[in-house]
Amino acid sequence: MAKALFPRAWVKKSFYFQARISFVRVKYLFLTWLTVLVGSWVLYVQYSAYTELCRGHECRNAICDKYRKGIIDGSACSSLCDTTSLYMGRCLSLLPNNQVYTGSWGDHDGIIRCKLGEVVHYELGEEPEPRRETPVFDKPTKGTSVEKFREMVFNHLKSKLGEQANLASLVGQVLTVADGNKDGRVSLPEARSTWALLQMDEVLLSLLLQDRGHTPRLLGYCGDLYMTERVPYGPLYGLSLPWPLVSWVPSGLQRTMDQWFTPSWPRKAKISMGLLELVEDIFHGTYGNFLICDLSAAQFGYTDRHELRLTNTRAVISEEEFKRTMQVLKCESDADCVYGADCQTSCDVSQKRCRVEPVQPNLAKACSTLKDYLLRGAPSALREELERQLYACIALKGNAGQMNMEHSLILNNLKALLWKQISHTKDS
């Protein structure tokens, strides 16, 4: 009886074991299929995002087509379209209509930027509509003389910068850039490229600031595609965490981590001097006053020689244009009177209009950016005085134009304190 029971129990157990194995196989097969499905979907989404964001070939084709038709010309056109010695590398674009790539042109490494028409979205199964291109390169028109073009440039700069004594010299600088082949004259195609570039505020501001070394140099252009020198180190400080971790890392820890991967203190002092000099140069500068409306570390980088560069000139606006923008804004409170990231005015509640004078000058915002950066690792003999001066700087309020003496005193004291510490080092 016992012998009869044993095989039956063994068969039952064996059947149970085989059933369990089959279940495990089905489970793993399902998980494998699910992983492949999710992975394929992620790859599809990433590829779709990449193809929408990274359209450098379209940009190149559009520019070269107009160059070959004789509509545009510029210092980089032949290298881009004929010899292909100007090469587009890695895609850095964040917006579909604003193409950004690393670039190589002979011995120069740089950043290439190009405007594209609006991307038209469509549902699956629908025929895609043709891209809507921004109408550019239609000015100046055929028959326009160089003197007329000079007048066009002068009036455009005046509308952007207001009445300035040195506008004529800036026009001369623009016409020098416009002469892409350096033959001593500006052709109609070159003028069209230059006019298209001047419509982009970031290019105009780069031209204004590059003589003092604050922005990357303009290396060349073709139409509204242009290349600037590459800034090897950026942002000024900080870590770019993967997006899943951003919400999990406390802001206090994030600020501490931001300061871990920075140069030695004397080099940080030299970089900081560069930011203070930038603030000084655009405060009652050659072409009027300018406001930096995003002084976060992400807007700056530095070179191998630890010289600061403003990598995003879109953060800068002339005081003239800022006032025009703010005076038409309606408001209920001060929170409604903000331009960019941190250019703020106050609200005139009785008129329900924003006032035009900024609440905080550039210098105060620059010192806020530099506070943690400079205090971490500062020499002990210097730290107390440096902290006192930085907080006095951050406390600056009101329109800097109404407090010239205090603004200049704090700026000069900070620069003198930093220079005293690094003047005897090789980093100076």
Side-chain angles (χ1 to χ4, degrees):
M1 185 73 177
K3 287 182 179 179
L5 287 171
F6 177 75
R8 189 181 299 171
W10 183 85
V11 169
K12 194 173 181 180
K13 191 171 184 180
S14 175
F15 176 77
Y16 173 76
F17 183 69
Q18 287 178 356
R20 185 170 179 81
I21 288 177
S22 298
F23 172 75
V24 170
R25 282 178 178 169
V26 170
K27 180 181 176 183
Y28 278 104
L29 185 64
F30 173 74
L31 289 175
T32 302
W33 173 82
L34 186 64
T35 302
V36 170
L37 181 66
V38 171
S40 301
W41 180 79
V42 169
L43 286 173
Y44 171 75
V45 169
Q46 291 291 328
Y47 176 75
S48 298
Y50 179 85
T51 53
E52 183 171 317
L53 282 177
C54 301
R55 302 186 289 142
H57 62 288
E58 291 183 33
C59 192
R60 185 187 200 127
N61 292 342
I63 289 291
C64 289
D65 178 60
K66 290 178 174 64
Y67 164 65
R68 293 186 181 113
K69 289 177 179 176
I71 298 171
I72 58 172
D73 201 354
S75 55
C77 286
S78 178
S79 299
L80 179 72
C81 306
D82 296 336
T83 65
T84 64
S85 56
L86 196 161
Y87 170 74
M88 283 185 176
R90 185 162 55 94
C91 175
L92 306 174
S93 306
L94 297 176
L95 295 170
N97 60 351
N98 186 27
Q99 295 295 292
V100 184
Y101 280 77
T102 60
S104 177
W105 188 15
D107 296 332
H108 298 291
D109 290 326
I111 301 294
I112 298 171
R113 290 180 169 84
C114 177
K115 296 284 186 183
L116 269 180
E118 180 185 348
V119 180
V120 179
H121 296 280
Y122 59 93
E123 299 298 326
L124 289 174
E126 292 182 358
E127 286 294 319
E129 300 174 33
R131 298 189 187 277
R132 293 194 282 270
E133 291 192 13
T134 307
V136 292
F137 313 131
D138 54 351
K139 291 180 181 178
T141 55
K142 193 172 182 179
T144 303
S145 66
V146 174
E147 283 308 311
K148 179 63 178 174
F149 180 59
R150 182 188 295 271
E151 185 183 335
M152 285 173 62
V153 172
F154 181 88
N155 290 333
H156 178 71
L157 296 178
K158 183 178 175 182
S159 71
K160 291 289 183 181
L161 306 174
E163 287 280 1
Q164 302 296 333
N166 296 307
L167 275 187
S169 65
L170 181 57
V171 172
Q173 184 183 339
V174 170
L175 293 180
T176 301
V177 171
D179 182 14
N181 58 6
K182 305 303 177 192
D183 64 351
R185 55 184 289 273
V186 178
S187 66
L188 182 60
E190 287 173 335
R192 284 177 178 149
S193 290
T194 306
W195 185 255
L197 288 175
L198 288 177
Q199 307 314 302
M200 295 184 280
D201 290 346
E202 64 267 27
V203 177
L204 174 57
L205 287 162
S206 292
L207 290 173
L208 293 176
L209 297 173
Q210 71 178 10
D211 283 349
R212 297 300 300 267
H214 296 309
T215 57
R217 285 185 304 115
L218 178 67
L219 299 176
Y221 66 92
C222 183
D224 58 358
L225 177 149
Y226 64 98
M227 180 174 175
T228 56
E229 66 179 349
R230 188 174 72 89
V231 178
Y233 302 102
L236 186 61
Y237 58 79
L239 287 173
S240 298
L241 294 175
W243 67 265
L245 296 179
V246 172
S247 57
W248 291 93
V249 177
S251 57
L253 178 59
Q254 175 73 58
R255 283 196 300 271
T256 302
M257 291 169 61
D258 281 347
Q259 303 299 331
W260 287 350
F261 302 97
T262 54
S264 63
W265 193 86
R267 289 173 174 172
K268 288 196 292 184
K270 182 178 180 181
I271 294 166
S272 301
M273 285 276 289
L275 180 53
L276 295 174
E277 286 169 356
L278 167 63
V279 169
E280 184 176 32
D281 284 346
I282 66 175
F283 175 65
H284 290 322
T286 309
Y287 303 108
N289 293 347
F290 291 86
L291 299 173
I292 307 178
C293 290
D294 188 351
L295 264 156
S296 62
Q299 312 308 320
F300 302 93
Y302 55 94
T303 67
D304 292 320
R305 298 178 61 187
H306 301 94
E307 295 167 338
L308 181 110
R309 294 288 185 271
L310 173 63
T311 53
N312 180 18
T313 50
R314 293 181 183 183
V316 181
I317 183 173
S318 71
E319 189 176 58
E320 188 84 12
E321 192 166 348
F322 175 77
K323 287 181 176 180
R324 283 200 303 266
T325 302
M326 299 311 292
Q327 70 185 3
V328 297
L329 283 185
K330 296 179 180 179
C331 63
E332 297 291 336
S333 67
D334 290 351
D336 299 322
C337 300
V338 179
Y339 182 95
D342 52 20
C343 280
Q344 184 170 10
T345 67
S346 57
C347 178
D348 184 342
V349 181
S350 62
Q351 299 291 326
K352 293 196 174 182
R353 292 278 182 181
C354 292
R355 296 186 175 92
V356 298
E357 300 298 340
V359 171
Q360 200 176 29
N362 289 326
L363 183 58
K365 293 183 287 186
C367 289
S368 295
T369 299
L370 293 176
K371 179 172 70 69
D372 292 338
Y373 184 67
L374 276 176
L375 290 178
R376 182 180 175 84
S380 54
L382 169 77
R383 184 182 173 87
E384 185 177 342
E385 177 60 17
L386 177 61
E387 188 171 16
R388 185 188 68 77
Q389 289 199 25
L390 284 170
Y391 277 108
C393 174
I394 293 169
L396 282 169
K397 296 291 181 185
N399 178 21
Q402 297 171 354
M403 46 192 299
N404 284 336
M405 286 186 63
E406 188 178 4
H407 183 280
S408 299
L409 184 64
I410 288 175
L411 180 60
N412 291 335
N413 285 346
L414 259 176
K415 286 174 61 180
L417 185 65
L418 294 176
W419 180 248
K420 184 179 178 181
Q421 292 297 313
I422 65 171
S423 59
H424 60 282
T425 68
K426 62 180 181 180
D427 297 306
S428 62

